[in-house]
Amino acid sequence: MPSPAADPRPFLDIRNVSVAYGETRVLDDVSLAVARGELVALLGSSGCGKTTLLRSIAGFVQPTAGSITLDGRELTTLPPEARGTAMMFQSYALWPHLDVSANIGYGLRMRGWKKDAIAARVAEMLKLLQLEGYEHRAIAQLSGGQKQRVALGRALAVDPAVLLLDEPMSNLDYKVRIELRHELRALQKRVGITAVYVTHDREEALTLADRIAVLDAGRIVQLGRPEEVFHQPASAFVAGFMGADNALDVVAHGGGWTAAPPRTPGARRAHFRGDRASLGAAPPGAGTLAFDGEVAQRIYLGNGFRYRVRGPHAEVWVDDPTARDEGSPVRVTVGADALLLFNEAQ
């Protein structure tokens, strides 16, 4: 399969799409180009517009402005069944009165396929998804992970041009989610299908996606490869959403930075991850953030501790291997390479 970047032409092209319900604008001038064979994750919190964008691609929501094309074909006003897309819902939407084979073949029957062709395609899906032997199993007898595979098989059986996935792992327990993330990524690469994946889980997006589109208030606020979005967030909002959720205002001090009261003139907004900070008396280096505080809370993690440190102008979480008592004075130090600075002090 060629790399998604090998063909510069967008396969799925979303241009200036807006969706409004009355006075409420859910999507605001969103543009996104997806290459053939690429998996793009739409990442954001509840209400940011990611599911509305997915449903607009599928045809379940009609944009109030903009256009959506697939391989050069205009989709914007077409009904869902005419778009060449398949959607996998959060609830899986499996038919409980049908067995595994009948669920996988449901879309093919709706398209008028003959029985022999359906049986051959279903057998192909069962093998692809490692569900051989489950053909006649009732849906109620399946685990959550098996149900997800059946739903995926039903979506893939119709050979869609684009697979749309709406938080398909949110109902699974953590261990199963981890296993299925890797399975789904390997399958998507092997089959070479183009996919758009909605999630609120940054770890899921980082694991699965070729690129991540972070949404906030109906807009894409950053689009890039997972490592770019994770290490080079474009704003304080993206930094916080990607896990650098320690946030404080800082001012220059001694060649580095120190915590400042809110609304201090000339202050900048700093973000950092708790596992990239340290506790100790190390002197600040060039570009380093350092400030003093005390341990307000200690949580044991098994391989170390997580501390809530309260200073005069900030409260942050820091992971550190050394046991310290609550109330102990500490110095928080964050190296320049781990510090994210924005002109967004509040």
Side-chain angles (χ1 to χ4, degrees), residues 92-120:
Y92 306 148
L94 298 173
W95 297 107
H97 63 289
L98 300 178
D99 64 15
V100 167
S101 288
N103 266 281
I104 292 176
Y106 181 80
L108 303 175
R109 290 195 301 278
M110 293 299 100
R111 286 163 172 77
W113 282 39
K114 294 182 179 179
K115 286 185 178 180
D116 289 349
I118 292 175

mmCIF file of all heavy atoms in Angstrom, residues 92-120:
data_model
loop_
_atom_site.group_PDB
_atom_site.id
_atom_site.type_symbol
_atom_site.label_atom_id
_atom_site.label_comp_id
_atom_site.label_asym_id
_atom_site.label_seq_id
_atom_site.Cartn_x
_atom_site.Cartn_y
_atom_site.Cartn_z
ATOM 1 N N TYR A 92 -22.312 0.329 18.448
ATOM 2 C CA TYR A 92 -22.172 -0.766 17.489
ATOM 3 C C TYR A 92 -23.445 -1.008 16.691
ATOM 4 O O TYR A 92 -23.390 -1.428 15.553
ATOM 5 C CB TYR A 92 -21.734 -2.086 18.147
ATOM 6 C CG TYR A 92 -20.479 -1.969 18.965
ATOM 7 C CD1 TYR A 92 -20.286 -2.747 20.092
ATOM 8 C CD2 TYR A 92 -19.473 -1.066 18.632
ATOM 9 C CE1 TYR A 92 -19.134 -2.647 20.851
ATOM 10 C CE2 TYR A 92 -18.323 -0.947 19.378
ATOM 11 C CZ TYR A 92 -18.155 -1.742 20.493
ATOM 12 O OH TYR A 92 -17.020 -1.622 21.239
ATOM 13 N N ALA A 93 -24.650 -0.771 17.294
ATOM 14 C CA ALA A 93 -25.933 -0.891 16.587
ATOM 15 C C ALA A 93 -26.083 -2.248 15.909
ATOM 16 O O ALA A 93 -26.538 -2.344 14.772
ATOM 17 C CB ALA A 93 -26.084 0.249 15.571
ATOM 18 N N LEU A 94 -25.711 -3.321 16.604
ATOM 19 C CA LEU A 94 -25.875 -4.671 16.072
ATOM 20 C C LEU A 94 -27.304 -5.152 16.289
ATOM 21 O O LEU A 94 -27.961 -4.777 17.258
ATOM 22 C CB LEU A 94 -24.888 -5.624 16.753
ATOM 23 C CG LEU A 94 -23.407 -5.301 16.547
ATOM 24 C CD1 LEU A 94 -22.549 -6.213 17.408
ATOM 25 C CD2 LEU A 94 -23.013 -5.420 15.078
ATOM 26 N N TRP A 95 -27.762 -6.013 15.380
ATOM 27 C CA TRP A 95 -29.107 -6.571 15.514
ATOM 28 C C TRP A 95 -29.073 -7.745 16.480
ATOM 29 O O TRP A 95 -28.438 -8.771 16.199
ATOM 30 C CB TRP A 95 -29.632 -7.039 14.152
ATOM 31 C CG TRP A 95 -29.796 -5.942 13.151
ATOM 32 C CD1 TRP A 95 -29.023 -5.691 12.068
ATOM 33 C CD2 TRP A 95 -30.815 -4.943 13.150
ATOM 34 N NE1 TRP A 95 -29.483 -4.594 11.382
ATOM 35 C CE2 TRP A 95 -30.593 -4.111 12.022
ATOM 36 C CE3 TRP A 95 -31.896 -4.649 13.980
ATOM 37 C CZ2 TRP A 95 -31.398 -3.030 11.711
ATOM 38 C CZ3 TRP A 95 -32.705 -3.571 13.667
ATOM 39 C CH2 TRP A 95 -32.462 -2.782 12.551
ATOM 40 N N PRO A 96 -29.745 -7.667 17.642
ATOM 41 C CA PRO A 96 -29.651 -8.742 18.641
ATOM 42 C C PRO A 96 -30.321 -10.040 18.212
ATOM 43 O O PRO A 96 -29.975 -11.120 18.720
ATOM 44 C CB PRO A 96 -30.354 -8.140 19.865
ATOM 45 C CG PRO A 96 -31.263 -7.093 19.313
ATOM 46 C CD PRO A 96 -30.570 -6.535 18.109
ATOM 47 N N HIS A 97 -31.268 -9.967 17.266
ATOM 48 C CA HIS A 97 -31.980 -11.180 16.834
ATOM 49 C C HIS A 97 -31.262 -11.889 15.691
ATOM 50 O O HIS A 97 -31.696 -12.964 15.258
ATOM 51 C CB HIS A 97 -33.409 -10.823 16.398
ATOM 52 C CG HIS A 97 -33.479 -9.915 15.226
ATOM 53 N ND1 HIS A 97 -33.129 -8.576 15.302
ATOM 54 C CD2 HIS A 97 -33.831 -10.137 13.928
ATOM 55 C CE1 HIS A 97 -33.279 -8.023 14.110
ATOM 56 N NE2 HIS A 97 -33.702 -8.950 13.270
ATOM 57 N N LEU A 98 -30.151 -11.314 15.197
ATOM 58 C CA LEU A 98 -29.377 -11.936 14.129
ATOM 59 C C LEU A 98 -28.050 -12.445 14.683
ATOM 60 O O LEU A 98 -27.475 -11.844 15.589
ATOM 61 C CB LEU A 98 -29.105 -10.925 13.014
ATOM 62 C CG LEU A 98 -30.327 -10.312 12.312
ATOM 63 C CD1 LEU A 98 -29.869 -9.297 11.276
ATOM 64 C CD2 LEU A 98 -31.199 -11.385 11.688
ATOM 65 N N ASP A 99 -27.548 -13.550 14.109
ATOM 66 C CA ASP A 99 -26.260 -14.060 14.564
ATOM 67 C C ASP A 99 -25.121 -13.253 13.935
ATOM 68 O O ASP A 99 -25.352 -12.277 13.200
ATOM 69 C CB ASP A 99 -26.136 -15.559 14.275
ATOM 70 C CG ASP A 99 -26.150 -15.890 12.773
ATOM 71 O OD1 ASP A 99 -25.969 -14.970 11.953
ATOM 72 O OD2 ASP A 99 -26.341 -17.075 12.437
ATOM 73 N N VAL A 100 -23.888 -13.663 14.207
ATOM 74 C CA VAL A 100 -22.725 -12.907 13.759
ATOM 75 C C VAL A 100 -22.696 -12.775 12.241
ATOM 76 O O VAL A 100 -22.523 -11.689 11.688
ATOM 77 C CB VAL A 100 -21.429 -13.578 14.273
ATOM 78 C CG1 VAL A 100 -20.204 -13.001 13.571
ATOM 79 C CG2 VAL A 100 -21.310 -13.401 15.782
ATOM 80 N N SER A 101 -22.880 -13.889 11.526
ATOM 81 C CA SER A 101 -22.837 -13.849 10.065
ATOM 82 C C SER A 101 -23.905 -12.934 9.487
ATOM 83 O O SER A 101 -23.651 -12.161 8.556
ATOM 84 C CB SER A 101 -23.009 -15.263 9.488
ATOM 85 O OG SER A 101 -21.846 -16.027 9.709
ATOM 86 N N ALA A 102 -25.118 -13.027 10.038
ATOM 87 C CA ALA A 102 -26.225 -12.213 9.523
ATOM 88 C C ALA A 102 -25.977 -10.733 9.778
ATOM 89 O O ALA A 102 -26.334 -9.883 8.949
ATOM 90 C CB ALA A 102 -27.536 -12.658 10.154
ATOM 91 N N ASN A 103 -25.361 -10.406 10.909
ATOM 92 C CA ASN A 103 -25.041 -9.003 11.187
ATOM 93 C C ASN A 103 -23.993 -8.487 10.211
ATOM 94 O O ASN A 103 -24.124 -7.381 9.670
ATOM 95 C CB ASN A 103 -24.552 -8.846 12.625
ATOM 96 C CG ASN A 103 -25.667 -8.480 13.589
ATOM 97 O OD1 ASN A 103 -26.079 -7.327 13.662
ATOM 98 N ND2 ASN A 103 -26.156 -9.472 14.307
ATOM 99 N N ILE A 104 -22.943 -9.274 9.966
ATOM 100 C CA ILE A 104 -21.891 -8.832 9.055
ATOM 101 C C ILE A 104 -22.431 -8.675 7.639
ATOM 102 O O ILE A 104 -22.070 -7.750 6.913
ATOM 103 C CB ILE A 104 -20.710 -9.817 9.086
ATOM 104 C CG1 ILE A 104 -20.005 -9.745 10.453
ATOM 105 C CG2 ILE A 104 -19.705 -9.506 7.966
ATOM 106 C CD1 ILE A 104 -18.874 -10.744 10.633
ATOM 107 N N GLY A 105 -23.324 -9.552 7.246
ATOM 108 C CA GLY A 105 -23.854 -9.511 5.888
ATOM 109 C C GLY A 105 -25.056 -8.615 5.694
ATOM 110 O O GLY A 105 -25.579 -8.516 4.574
ATOM 111 N N TYR A 106 -25.482 -7.922 6.756
ATOM 112 C CA TYR A 106 -26.721 -7.141 6.679
ATOM 113 C C TYR A 106 -26.678 -6.077 5.585
ATOM 114 O O TYR A 106 -27.608 -5.950 4.767
ATOM 115 C CB TYR A 106 -26.998 -6.486 8.039
ATOM 116 C CG TYR A 106 -28.275 -5.688 8.061
ATOM 117 C CD1 TYR A 106 -29.501 -6.319 8.219
ATOM 118 C CD2 TYR A 106 -28.257 -4.303 7.912
ATOM 119 C CE1 TYR A 106 -30.678 -5.587 8.227
ATOM 120 C CE2 TYR A 106 -29.430 -3.573 7.913
ATOM 121 C CZ TYR A 106 -30.639 -4.215 8.074
ATOM 122 O OH TYR A 106 -31.802 -3.489 8.075
ATOM 123 N N GLY A 107 -25.620 -5.316 5.531
ATOM 124 C CA GLY A 107 -25.521 -4.254 4.531
ATOM 125 C C GLY A 107 -25.488 -4.795 3.110
ATOM 126 O O GLY A 107 -25.985 -4.155 2.175
ATOM 127 N N LEU A 108 -24.928 -5.978 2.936
ATOM 128 C CA LEU A 108 -24.876 -6.589 1.608
ATOM 129 C C LEU A 108 -26.269 -7.017 1.158
ATOM 130 O O LEU A 108 -26.620 -6.863 -0.024
ATOM 131 C CB LEU A 108 -23.927 -7.792 1.627
ATOM 132 C CG LEU A 108 -22.492 -7.485 2.081
ATOM 133 C CD1 LEU A 108 -21.688 -8.770 2.175
ATOM 134 C CD2 LEU A 108 -21.828 -6.505 1.122
ATOM 135 N N ARG A 109 -27.049 -7.534 2.092
ATOM 136 C CA ARG A 109 -28.430 -7.907 1.750
ATOM 137 C C ARG A 109 -29.237 -6.677 1.358
ATOM 138 O O ARG A 109 -30.038 -6.715 0.424
ATOM 139 C CB ARG A 109 -29.106 -8.621 2.925
ATOM 140 C CG ARG A 109 -28.555 -10.008 3.190
ATOM 141 C CD ARG A 109 -29.474 -10.827 4.093
ATOM 142 N NE ARG A 109 -29.683 -10.182 5.387
ATOM 143 C CZ ARG A 109 -28.838 -10.272 6.401
ATOM 144 N NH1 ARG A 109 -27.717 -10.978 6.270
ATOM 145 N NH2 ARG A 109 -29.088 -9.668 7.537
ATOM 146 N N MET A 110 -29.010 -5.570 2.076
ATOM 147 C CA MET A 110 -29.722 -4.331 1.745
ATOM 148 C C MET A 110 -29.331 -3.810 0.359
ATOM 149 O O MET A 110 -30.104 -3.098 -0.278
ATOM 150 C CB MET A 110 -29.430 -3.260 2.800
ATOM 151 C CG MET A 110 -29.984 -3.564 4.188
ATOM 152 S SD MET A 110 -31.785 -3.718 4.229
ATOM 153 C CE MET A 110 -32.001 -5.513 4.211
ATOM 154 N N ARG A 111 -28.151 -4.199 -0.108
ATOM 155 C CA ARG A 111 -27.702 -3.773 -1.431
ATOM 156 C C ARG A 111 -28.056 -4.775 -2.525
ATOM 157 O O ARG A 111 -27.655 -4.617 -3.671
ATOM 158 C CB ARG A 111 -26.183 -3.529 -1.401
ATOM 159 C CG ARG A 111 -25.791 -2.255 -0.667
ATOM 160 C CD ARG A 111 -24.315 -2.251 -0.301
ATOM 161 N NE ARG A 111 -23.893 -0.963 0.226
ATOM 162 C CZ ARG A 111 -24.147 -0.530 1.464
ATOM 163 N NH1 ARG A 111 -24.823 -1.305 2.299
ATOM 164 N NH2 ARG A 111 -23.721 0.652 1.861
ATOM 165 N N GLY A 112 -28.761 -5.829 -2.148
ATOM 166 C CA GLY A 112 -29.252 -6.787 -3.138
ATOM 167 C C GLY A 112 -28.258 -7.837 -3.580
ATOM 168 O O GLY A 112 -28.431 -8.444 -4.639
ATOM 169 N N TRP A 113 -27.214 -8.078 -2.787
ATOM 170 C CA TRP A 113 -26.254 -9.113 -3.147
ATOM 171 C C TRP A 113 -26.920 -10.492 -3.102
ATOM 172 O O TRP A 113 -27.827 -10.733 -2.304
ATOM 173 C CB TRP A 113 -25.072 -9.107 -2.178
ATOM 174 C CG TRP A 113 -24.066 -8.035 -2.417
ATOM 175 C CD1 TRP A 113 -24.304 -6.737 -2.777
ATOM 176 C CD2 TRP A 113 -22.648 -8.151 -2.277
ATOM 177 N NE1 TRP A 113 -23.138 -6.033 -2.865
ATOM 178 C CE2 TRP A 113 -22.091 -6.877 -2.569
ATOM 179 C CE3 TRP A 113 -21.791 -9.191 -1.936
ATOM 180 C CZ2 TRP A 113 -20.729 -6.636 -2.531
ATOM 181 C CZ3 TRP A 113 -20.427 -8.951 -1.885
ATOM 182 C CH2 TRP A 113 -19.897 -7.687 -2.183
ATOM 183 N N LYS A 114 -26.427 -11.412 -3.919
ATOM 184 C CA LYS A 114 -26.932 -12.786 -3.913
ATOM 185 C C LYS A 114 -26.332 -13.554 -2.737
ATOM 186 O O LYS A 114 -25.270 -13.213 -2.224
ATOM 187 C CB LYS A 114 -26.584 -13.472 -5.231
ATOM 188 C CG LYS A 114 -27.314 -12.852 -6.422
ATOM 189 C CD LYS A 114 -26.974 -13.604 -7.709
ATOM 190 C CE LYS A 114 -27.734 -12.996 -8.889
ATOM 191 N NZ LYS A 114 -27.412 -13.701 -10.159
ATOM 192 N N LYS A 115 -27.037 -14.616 -2.345
ATOM 193 C CA LYS A 115 -26.661 -15.351 -1.127
ATOM 194 C C LYS A 115 -25.233 -15.880 -1.185
ATOM 195 O O LYS A 115 -24.487 -15.809 -0.204
ATOM 196 C CB LYS A 115 -27.636 -16.503 -0.895
ATOM 197 C CG LYS A 115 -29.005 -16.048 -0.394
ATOM 198 C CD LYS A 115 -29.874 -17.249 -0.059
ATOM 199 C CE LYS A 115 -31.228 -16.802 0.480
ATOM 200 N NZ LYS A 115 -32.095 -17.957 0.812
ATOM 201 N N ASP A 116 -24.852 -16.448 -2.320
ATOM 202 C CA ASP A 116 -23.504 -17.012 -2.419
ATOM 203 C C ASP A 116 -22.433 -15.934 -2.275
ATOM 204 O O ASP A 116 -21.405 -16.149 -1.617
ATOM 205 C CB ASP A 116 -23.333 -17.734 -3.759
ATOM 206 C CG ASP A 116 -24.128 -19.029 -3.831
ATOM 207 O OD1 ASP A 116 -24.633 -19.455 -2.781
ATOM 208 O OD2 ASP A 116 -24.251 -19.585 -4.940
ATOM 209 N N ALA A 117 -22.682 -14.775 -2.872
ATOM 210 C CA ALA A 117 -21.723 -13.671 -2.785
ATOM 211 C C ALA A 117 -21.638 -13.140 -1.357
ATOM 212 O O ALA A 117 -20.555 -12.811 -0.866
ATOM 213 C CB ALA A 117 -22.119 -12.562 -3.748
ATOM 214 N N ILE A 118 -22.788 -13.067 -0.689
ATOM 215 C CA ILE A 118 -22.808 -12.617 0.711
ATOM 216 C C ILE A 118 -22.017 -13.582 1.581
ATOM 217 O O ILE A 118 -21.190 -13.180 2.411
ATOM 218 C CB ILE A 118 -24.256 -12.484 1.217
ATOM 219 C CG1 ILE A 118 -24.964 -11.328 0.500
ATOM 220 C CG2 ILE A 118 -24.269 -12.254 2.741
ATOM 221 C CD1 ILE A 118 -26.431 -11.205 0.847
ATOM 222 N N ALA A 119 -22.263 -14.889 1.392
ATOM 223 C CA ALA A 119 -21.581 -15.902 2.210
ATOM 224 C C ALA A 119 -20.073 -15.818 2.025
ATOM 225 O O ALA A 119 -19.302 -15.924 2.991
ATOM 226 C CB ALA A 119 -22.089 -17.294 1.843
ATOM 227 N N ALA A 120 -19.625 -15.600 0.775
ATOM 228 C CA ALA A 120 -18.189 -15.517 0.517
ATOM 229 C C ALA A 120 -17.589 -14.272 1.169
ATOM 230 O O ALA A 120 -16.499 -14.328 1.754
ATOM 231 C CB ALA A 120 -17.948 -15.504 -0.991
#
